[in-house]
Amino acid sequence: MTQKQLLEHIWGPSHAQNTHYLRIVVSHIRHKIGDDPTTPRYLITEAGIGYRLMV
């Protein structure tokens, strides 16, 4: 999903540009699931696009 899609669906359209919120939440999710941000296995950052969940 794109960052904009996630932000709009989670916090609403008025927060579509607040990407720092998303980075913080993704960091918390990675910590909870034990996913190392330097070599992620589950939650992949797609540079300039958003995030991909690997299953």
Side-chain angles (χ1 to χ4, degrees):
M1 292 187 81
T2 67
Q3 290 181 355
K4 183 178 179 185
Q5 287 173 326
L6 286 168
L7 287 163
E8 287 179 349
H9 286 289
I10 296 169
W11 288 288
S14 63
H15 293 278
Q17 303 302 318
N18 297 334
T19 57
H20 61 282
Y21 290 161
L22 193 54
R23 282 189 220 115
I24 292 167
V25 170
V26 168
S27 174
H28 288 272
I29 292 170
R30 281 191 172 129
H31 179 74
K32 287 277 189 183
I33 64 175
D35 204 19
D36 181 3
T38 59
T39 55
R41 295 182 309 163
Y42 306 114
L43 196 52
I44 309 299
T45 301
E46 298 285 338
I49 298 171
Y51 298 94
R52 180 184 309 261
L53 179 62
M54 303 301 286
V55 291

